Amino acid sequence: PSIPPRSLAIARRYITQEARQKIQSAVETTPVVLFMKGTPEQPMCGFSRAAIQVLELQGVPPEKFKTFDVLQDSELRSSIKEFSEWPTIPQLYVDGEFVGGCDILLSMHQSGELEELLEKKGVLPP
């Protein structure tokens, strides 16, 4: 059996099965999910604020959108990074699939790709 490189073994923490199931359930049961710092009413970082503003500009209906404040749950904060294999927060999921962080969200919004994705997934009317 091969032994993984030491740096990989140290850098990778293992998400608990319970945490993985909670995240999986969250992203599968709501069409648009944002893991963020703070709440939509009170974002606790500029990137989370920008992500919320983009989703508001897109007109994502409240009944198709849910947020999770990673500052309220340290396990979630570390687990979501491993779950998505993405190092930063906020993180956006649409229809159960990871879309990206704030930079990708802004870029997709500016290019029109985000609106296309939200329409294609049935979040927004065509």
Side-chain angles (χ1 to χ4, degrees), residues 48-86:
S48 291
R49 178 183 298 1
I52 287 294
Q53 288 173 337
V54 165
L55 294 172
E56 287 174 353
L57 286 170
Q58 290 289 332
V60 175
E63 66 275 9
K64 294 187 176 188
F65 178 56
K66 187 164 186 176
T67 63
F68 291 88
D69 180 0
V70 300
L71 297 179
Q72 298 299 315
D73 185 339
S74 60
E75 183 183 19
L76 176 61
R77 187 175 182 173
S78 60
S79 297
I80 191 61
K81 293 175 183 180
E82 188 176 325
F83 181 85
S84 63
E85 298 179 3
W86 191 259

Side-chain angles (χ1 to χ4, degrees), residues 27-47:
V27 301
E28 288 177 350
T29 57
T30 305
V32 178
V33 177
L34 183 69
F35 293 90
M36 64 181 289
K37 293 178 181 175
T39 63
E41 300 77 27
Q42 192 170 13
M44 298 304 284
C45 82
F47 298 113

Side-chain angles (χ1 to χ4, degrees), residues 15 76 102 112:
I15 184 173
L76 176 61
C102 184

Side-chain angles (χ1 to χ4, degrees), residues 93-125:
Y93 286 78
V94 175
D95 195 30
E97 292 184 34
F98 177 62
V99 175
C102 184
D103 53 346
I104 291 173
L105 189 57
L106 287 171
S107 174
M108 288 178 72
H109 171 66
Q110 291 166 346
S111 71
E113 288 177 85
L114 183 58
E115 185 175 11
E116 289 175 23
L117 174 66
L118 294 170
E119 288 175 358
K120 181 177 149 195
K121 298 296 185 177
V123 175
L124 299 176

Side-chain angles (χ1 to χ4, degrees), residues 3-14:
I3 298 171
R6 183 165 165 72
S7 60
L8 181 64
I10 290 172
R12 187 165 181 95
R13 291 195 314 268
Y14 291 97

